[in-house]
Amino acid sequence: MRQKPAALPYRNSAFQDRQPEEWTMQHRLTIKDIARLSGVGKSTVSRVLNNESGVSERTREKVEAVMRQHGFSPSRSARAMRGQSDKVVAIIVTRLDSLSENLAVQTILPALYEQGYDPIMLESRFSPALVQEHLGVLSRRHIDGVILFGFSGISEVLTTAWQESLVLLARDAPGFASVCYEDDGAIRLLMQRLYDHGHRHISFLGVPHSDITTGKRRHESYLNFCHAHGLTPCDTLPGLAMKQGYEHAADVLNEETTALVCATDTLAIGASKYLQQRGGAPVQLASVGNTPLLKFLHPEAIAVDPGYGEAGRAAAKQLIDQITGRAAPRQIVIPARLD
């Protein structure tokens, strides 16, 4: 009989609603073959593989006997996809297209691979409800641990059951391990550099205070610096998107403005496009982020590196240390540095 090639495992934010159609076995049998030989449906075989309820003991024994007879051995990748690998860790990002989060993920993955962990990726889309749904599924799949990119309101869905096996990144919550950026320090570094270069009319493009870290802390740091140095604030807080940076840069630019500080690199990229189209007197752009795209589009920008890569490595190490019992949950702050 000509066999259909085994399907490659696939993972997305809705993985809990899907079961792999086929599993790699020593003799290239598929889940369909196991179902046919056992006289049951594919869903029943899947429930046996996942050790789920809803299968009688007699049926379970029959399916398991067929699997043993034919040398059934789910592949490592398939087992990881079902959360049944010996060492599986989930990474929940807020957005798959986030520039800053991707820089952190790029260092998380090698750190996990080095220690023999299989990572799976999920997306929260800034939804506490979706995070709660993901965590519920991961708990049922017996995932070893989770690195969760946090955002405002996320702490409300965390339970004590996750305290020993979860690390928050970019946000902190009482009782949980976290790796955070030095939000206020990053803005102070930018403002001091601009001030030392003679700028006295410095505007600010930021994020609403509903975002505690990127929004409230960075904006307050700007205001505090202005107050301490006798500068007049000129600010607006549109949001996180590049488009918002482009559309609202004009709100904080006037004839006296010589510098513009952006709370994120995405805002800075949008503002950069506006400045290029606007022409006129040059405005020094400064940003928290230092992503390659910003430096490519606006090489003269002053940037603070929050330490995305360092934060990713620290989060992976902290989680592995918690899983293996080498460390208790703790709070880590990655210092900002000027590029």
Side-chain angles (χ1 to χ4, degrees):
M1 181 176 67
R2 186 179 181 181
Q3 301 297 333
K4 183 179 178 182
L8 294 175
Y10 174 76
R11 166 70 57 177
N12 68 7
S13 60
F15 80 96
Q16 62 271 30
D17 296 325
R18 303 184 182 184
Q19 291 293 340
E21 287 300 314
E22 296 171 339
W23 305 89
T24 303
M25 289 179 267
Q26 293 176 6
H27 300 294
R28 307 296 294 173
L29 294 180
T30 68
I31 194 172
K32 293 180 181 179
D33 297 320
I34 294 295
R36 176 178 54 78
L37 293 170
S38 304
V40 299
K42 290 191 302 179
S43 61
T44 300
V45 177
S46 291
R47 285 196 293 270
V48 172
L49 288 172
N50 294 325
N51 197 27
E52 295 177 352
S53 60
V55 181
S56 69
E57 190 62 29
R58 181 178 178 182
T59 299
R60 185 181 300 276
E61 290 176 356
K62 181 168 59 174
V63 172
E64 290 176 347
V66 171
M67 291 191 291
R68 286 193 300 270
Q69 178 183 353
H70 293 274
F72 176 84
S73 179
S75 68
R76 176 180 173 85
S77 56
R79 286 177 59 81
M81 186 174 164
R82 292 187 292 134
Q84 293 184 347
S85 174
D86 291 337
K87 301 169 72 172
V88 184
V89 168
I91 304 168
I92 304 178
V93 298
T94 59
R95 301 189 326 273
L96 292 172
D97 63 349
S98 169
L99 297 176
S100 60
E101 292 183 13
N102 281 333
L103 290 174
V105 169
Q106 287 173 22
T107 58
I108 291 173
L109 294 178
L112 295 177
Y113 292 141
E114 184 179 345
Q115 297 299 317
Y117 285 87
D118 291 320
I120 56 177
M121 190 87 71
L122 302 166
E123 184 181 43
S124 71
R125 299 195 292 273
F126 294 100
S127 168
L130 192 53
V131 170
Q132 190 171 38
E133 181 180 343
H134 287 333
L135 291 177
V137 173
L138 295 173
S139 178
R140 293 191 295 273
R141 301 296 188 192
H142 306 293
I143 298 295
D144 291 302
V146 177
I147 295 175
L148 171 59
F149 284 78
F151 53 93
S152 295
I154 197 65
S155 60
E156 298 171 5
V157 305
L158 300 178
T159 65
T160 55
W162 285 100
Q163 283 185 335
E164 301 299 323
S165 56
L166 184 143
V167 174
L168 281 167
L169 210 159
R171 188 78 48 175
D172 52 11
F176 287 85
S178 62
V179 178
C180 295
Y181 304 115
E182 190 183 16
D183 296 292
D184 52 350
I187 297 298
R188 281 199 307 271
L189 285 173
L190 289 176
M191 293 294 290
Q192 190 64 57
R193 171 63 65 86
L194 293 170
Y195 189 85
D196 291 344
H197 280 69
H199 293 280
R200 297 297 183 267
H201 297 279
I202 307 171
S203 298
F204 182 82
L205 197 59
V207 179
H209 283 204
S210 56
D211 185 315
I212 302 299
T213 54
T214 307
K216 186 172 185 291
R217 291 178 185 172
R218 296 184 187 183
H219 182 224
E220 287 183 346
S221 181
Y222 165 78
L223 295 176
N224 291 337
F225 189 96
C226 289
H227 177 75
H229 293 79
L231 307 181
T232 301
C234 182
D235 48 4
T236 187
L237 312 175
L240 285 165
M242 292 182 194
K243 183 178 180 182
Q244 291 170 315
Y246 174 77
E247 293 177 343
H248 292 273
D251 298 344
V252 291
L253 298 176
N254 54 52
E255 294 181 356
E256 294 182 315
T257 305
T258 60
L260 174 62
V261 172
C262 297
T264 72
D265 47 4
T266 51
L267 284 171
I269 291 170
S272 169
K273 181 178 179 181
Y274 175 81
L275 290 172
Q276 291 172 351
Q277 294 178 347
R278 170 179 176 261
V283 173
Q284 176 64 63
L285 186 65
S287 172
V288 178
N290 194 30
T291 61
L293 182 57
L294 174 63
K295 298 302 289 184
F296 175 76
L297 295 175
H298 208 104
E300 65 273 22
I302 298 173
V304 162
D305 183 356
Y308 296 131
E310 186 178 351
R313 282 188 292 270
K317 182 180 185 304
Q318 175 63 30
L319 181 61
I320 293 171
D321 286 348
Q322 287 179 205
I323 292 172
T324 57
R326 294 195 295 263
R330 62 186 179 125
Q331 286 69 49
I332 301 170
V333 177
I334 304 300
R337 60 181 185 274
L338 275 168
D339 180 36

